[in-house]
Amino acid sequence: MDSSVVLINVFSIPQGMESEFLDKWHQTAELMKNEPGFIETKLHRSLEPTARFQFINIAKWSSQSTWEAAFSKRISQQEIFEQQLLIEANPALYQVEVEY
């Protein structure tokens, strides 16, 4: 059984702050990719500029515990990131329920 988990994080960004968000996201991704248990991450951007969530991050981790350990190291950084840019982040872990 695969114990890997998927982090799905949807972001609401104030209009005009997309470049700043991307810079901060790249900085954070560079740090996270070196954490034990990190597998991959992909940031998706909405084709609709007025979408509620302009960016969605989907990342794969080897387990819930490896993600929690990595995230706990970065929690204060994440809070600063959100405060600086006035963004809304909504991270949650998921596992595959059904696959076709």
Side-chain angles (χ1 to χ4, degrees), residues 8-71:
I8 299 176
N9 196 354
V10 296
F11 297 94
S12 180
I13 314 295
Q15 198 166 25
M17 299 296 290
E18 296 86 358
S19 293
E20 291 87 345
F21 167 77
L22 287 169
D23 289 343
K24 295 288 185 185
W25 188 87
H26 283 291
Q27 291 171 14
T28 302
E30 283 297 320
L31 295 170
M32 295 300 267
K33 76 178 190 178
N34 295 314
E35 292 293 332
F38 174 85
I39 297 172
E40 69 177 357
T41 189
K42 294 178 182 177
L43 184 66
H44 300 75
R45 187 175 196 157
S46 174
L47 297 176
E48 177 56 51
T50 60
R52 179 174 176 203
F53 302 113
Q54 296 89 358
F55 295 95
I56 298 176
N57 179 44
I58 300 176
K60 191 168 184 182
W61 288 81
S62 64
S63 68
Q64 182 175 351
S65 61
T66 58
W67 179 82
E68 288 171 348
F71 186 74

Side-chain angles (χ1 to χ4, degrees), residues 95-100:
Q95 63 187 42
V96 174
E97 183 70 23
V98 177
E99 187 171 352
Y100 288 93

Side-chain angles (χ1 to χ4, degrees), residues 55-94:
F55 295 95
I56 298 176
N57 179 44
I58 300 176
K60 191 168 184 182
W61 288 81
S62 64
S63 68
Q64 182 175 351
S65 61
T66 58
W67 179 82
E68 288 171 348
F71 186 74
S72 68
K73 287 183 185 178
R74 308 278 177 234
I75 189 115
S76 62
Q77 181 184 28
Q78 180 69 20
E79 290 169 352
I80 291 167
F81 176 34
E82 291 177 22
Q83 290 170 0
Q84 284 178 341
L85 297 180
L86 304 172
I87 68 165
E88 176 191 340
N90 302 279
L93 292 179
Y94 297 86

Side-chain angles (χ1 to χ4, degrees), residues 1-4 62 95-96:
M1 182 176 166
D2 185 7
S3 65
S4 65
S62 64
Q95 63 187 42
V96 174

